[in-house]
Amino acid sequence: MTRSATTTDILVIGAGTAGMPCAIEAARAGAAVTVVEKSERLGGTLHYSGGQMSAAGTRRQQRKGIDDAVEQHFADILKMGGERVDRDLARLAANLAPQTVDWLEDLGFPFDPDCPTLIPDHEHYSAPRTYWSPNRGLDILTTITAPWQQLVDAGRITVRLLTPAVALCSQDGRVTGATVEHAETGTRQDVLARATVLTTGGFAASPEMFARFTPAAPPLASYAAETSTGDGVRMALRLGAQVRNTDAYMTGLGGFKAEPGPGRLRDWR
């Protein structure tokens, strides 16, 4: 039996920290966007994250008279990471960080009035450039939900919750979309797109994948979102993608083991 198919301009797999802003900006640029999310709610890791962000050269820094620059931020990232970080990704993150913080400010994000500042949670940056808000990651989710919903209501974003992507579609070596599964019916459908964006997060909630990629590390104990099980990594690997730098990971703050559930910690709540 032939599987049904639908088409869209851009398919975003995952409606969390990266997926929601990606869909918002793509829809604002005129694209028809379809977003599939395996959970029953939006936000992904934002429900668990402390929501701290770092950026150099933001408007908030300028208003406080803080002298800072992207190059200085990039140098700090390399130093803190012991020169083991992916330099290309680190530079991209540093370059886009000030735009991201200013974007959130334009949307009315409720920054803590002390921001930006230095924080004691890790080695200090060379300048105050850390931002957060009282309700942590949930404030980011609340802030981006407003423009998201406007675009959903306008028909620019189509969102399907409880609809995990189970495989990437490809033709002639190019990703052409994904096969998704509708949780309520168990039926599958191909969503074909001009561009497909994987924003499924990592595998910080999958002890099995963590052990596979970091065999020398202790067993995983995590308070990441339960949905962070490496689905996007698995789908990409099946098409021949390569995974690198898996021996470079950063431990987080400690916590109390949650029961039941292997490898789970109680989160900050």
Side-chain angles (χ1 to χ4, degrees), residues 88-104:
D88 291 337
L89 288 178
R91 179 167 290 283
L92 182 64
N95 287 346
L96 296 179
Q99 300 172 39
T100 303
V101 170
D102 289 347
W103 181 75
L104 285 171

Side-chain angles (χ1 to χ4, degrees), residues 163-176:
T163 307
V166 295
L168 294 173
C169 302
S170 65
Q171 184 176 3
D172 299 326
R174 176 181 174 272
V175 174
T176 56

Side-chain angles (χ1 to χ4, degrees), residues 4-47:
S4 66
T6 185
T7 60
T8 187
D9 290 334
I10 296 180
L11 172 62
V12 180
I13 304 175
T17 314
M20 291 180 70
C22 174
I24 289 168
E25 289 304 298
R28 283 178 167 177
V33 184
T34 297
V35 182
V36 295
E37 165 58 48
K38 73 175 180 179
S39 175
E40 75 285 354
R41 66 182 181 180
L42 303 171
T45 302
L46 289 174
H47 291 277

Side-chain angles (χ1 to χ4, degrees), residues 70-108:
V70 168
E71 284 300 320
Q72 194 173 336
H73 187 189
F74 177 63
D76 281 354
I77 294 172
L78 297 183
K79 178 171 69 73
M80 290 176 169
E83 301 290 336
R84 298 184 67 198
V85 301
D86 184 308
R87 297 179 72 95
D88 291 337
L89 288 178
R91 179 167 290 283
L92 182 64
N95 287 346
L96 296 179
Q99 300 172 39
T100 303
V101 170
D102 289 347
W103 181 75
L104 285 171
E105 184 175 52
D106 289 339
L107 293 177

Side-chain angles (χ1 to χ4, degrees), residues 5 19 31 55 199 228 232 244 249 256:
T199 64
S228 296
R244 60 195 175 102
Y249 65 94
F256 295 99

Side-chain angles (χ1 to χ4, degrees), residues 11-266:
L11 172 62
V12 180
I13 304 175
T17 314
M20 291 180 70
C22 174
I24 289 168
E25 289 304 298
R28 283 178 167 177
V33 184
T34 297
V35 182
V36 295
E37 165 58 48
K38 73 175 180 179
S39 175
E40 75 285 354
R41 66 182 181 180
L42 303 171
T45 302
L46 289 174
H47 291 277
Y48 301 86
S49 171
Q52 291 179 348
M53 301 165 279
S54 58
T58 65
R59 294 194 300 254
R60 294 186 68 86
Q61 278 187 322
Q62 293 165 10
R63 289 196 295 268
K64 293 184 74 171
I66 298 171
D67 184 20
D68 198 8
V70 168
E71 284 300 320
Q72 194 173 336
H73 187 189
F74 177 63
D76 281 354
I77 294 172
L78 297 183
K79 178 171 69 73
M80 290 176 169
E83 301 290 336
R84 298 184 67 198
V85 301
D86 184 308
R87 297 179 72 95
D88 291 337
L89 288 178
R91 179 167 290 283
L92 182 64
N95 287 346
L96 296 179
Q99 300 172 39
T100 303
V101 170
D102 289 347
W103 181 75
L104 285 171
E105 184 175 52
D106 289 339
L107 293 177
F109 182 73
F111 290 97
D112 184 286
D114 290 338
C115 293
T117 187
L118 300 171
I119 60 170
D121 293 359
H122 53 69
E123 182 182 353
H124 278 175
Y125 284 119
S126 57
R129 66 170 73 102
T130 302
Y131 312 78
W132 70 91
S133 64
N135 293 313
R136 303 178 169 90
L138 290 175
D139 277 337
I140 299 176
L141 177 58
T142 299
T143 299
I144 64 178
T145 295
W148 164 277
Q149 193 59 50
Q150 290 173 359
L151 291 161
V152 170
D153 293 343
R156 302 302 305 171
I157 296 176
T158 300
V159 57
R160 301 181 184 180
L161 300 178
L162 293 172
T163 307
V166 295
L168 294 173
C169 302
S170 65
Q171 184 176 3
D172 299 326
R174 176 181 174 272
V175 174
T176 56
T179 301
V180 304
E181 184 173 275
H182 302 283
E184 293 183 354
T185 63
T187 58
R188 293 188 173 186
Q189 182 181 46
D190 291 339
V191 181
L192 305 178
R194 290 192 292 112
T196 302
V197 187
L198 278 176
T199 64
T200 56
F203 48 85
S206 174
E208 297 79 16
M209 285 197 76
F210 186 75
R212 171 184 173 185
F213 288 118
T214 56
L220 176 69
S222 171
Y223 53 77
E226 290 92 338
T227 51
S228 296
T229 52
D231 298 1
V233 177
R234 289 189 181 92
M235 289 189 290
L237 287 173
R238 288 199 291 268
L239 290 186
Q242 300 296 309
V243 177
R244 60 195 175 102
N245 295 340
T246 55
D247 61 326
Y249 65 94
M250 185 178 71
T251 58
L253 301 178
F256 295 99
K257 193 75 176 289
E259 298 294 345
R264 294 293 300 169
L265 294 175
R266 298 184 189 278

